[in-house]
Amino acid sequence: MVTGSEKSEVKGDTLVRLPFYKEFHYGDMLQLTGKLETPQQFEDFDYKNYLANQGIYSIMNYPKVVVLESGKGLAPFAWIYALRDRLAQSLSAVLPEPQSSLSQAILLGLRGNIPAGLMQSFYYTGTTHLLAISGMNLTSYSA
C-alpha cells in the first residue's frame, strides 16, 4: 500500500466494491486508488471477524480503477471464462428476459443481469441460494 510518498504493508486480502457498470475481465491487472478501511463492526453481527475468517482485513469502496494490462491470467482459466461469456451470449440470444438472466445465474453463476425486481423476489422468498447452486460453484475462482 502506498500512502502519499510512504509505503506500508497490509496484512491479508482486501474486499473491493466496484460499480456494476465497470467491465473487467479475468487476467486484467488493475491499479486501485482509494481509501483502505477496517471492516465495520455491527451490533448484531461480527462482520469484521466474519471477513477475517476469510483472510480479509480491509475494505475499499469504489476506488478509482485503471486497467494496466490485460491477458495476464492463467490460460486455462482465461479459456473457461471466455467460454462462459460465449454461453451467456447464447442464452441471451435465444431466451427472453428475465428467463435469459435467470438461466445465466443458475447455469453460469452470472447474477449481475437479473432484474432488480426479480432479485428482490428471491430475497423475500429466501430462495437466493437457488441462483448459486451450480453456476457459482463451478465458475468461482479464488487466487
Side-chain angles (χ1 to χ4, degrees), residues 69-106:
E69 296 181 65
S70 294
K72 292 296 184 180
L74 298 173
F77 286 114
W79 183 84
I80 289 169
Y81 284 117
L83 175 62
R84 181 175 74 161
D85 290 342
R86 288 192 304 275
L87 291 170
Q89 290 171 1
S90 296
L91 288 169
S92 292
V94 299
L95 294 173
E97 285 297 340
Q99 290 88 345
S100 171
S101 296
L102 190 56
S103 297
Q104 289 176 23
I106 293 171

Side-chain angles (χ1 to χ4, degrees), residues 17-107:
R17 293 185 179 105
L18 299 170
F20 283 117
Y21 62 86
K22 295 277 188 177
E23 188 171 316
F24 303 106
H25 303 282
Y26 174 75
D28 286 350
M29 298 291 293
L30 307 177
Q31 177 181 321
L32 306 176
T33 304
K35 181 179 178 185
L36 280 179
E37 299 175 359
T38 300
Q40 187 177 4
Q41 196 67 18
F42 299 103
E43 282 184 29
D44 58 344
F45 181 63
D46 190 356
Y47 187 53
K48 183 177 179 179
N49 191 47
Y50 170 78
L51 291 177
N53 285 331
Q54 298 175 53
I56 299 171
Y57 296 94
S58 303
I59 294 175
M60 185 180 287
N61 291 311
Y62 308 105
K64 177 184 171 194
V65 181
V66 176
V67 178
L68 301 175
E69 296 181 65
S70 294
K72 292 296 184 180
L74 298 173
F77 286 114
W79 183 84
I80 289 169
Y81 284 117
L83 175 62
R84 181 175 74 161
D85 290 342
R86 288 192 304 275
L87 291 170
Q89 290 171 1
S90 296
L91 288 169
S92 292
V94 299
L95 294 173
E97 285 297 340
Q99 290 88 345
S100 171
S101 296
L102 190 56
S103 297
Q104 289 176 23
I106 293 171
L107 298 173

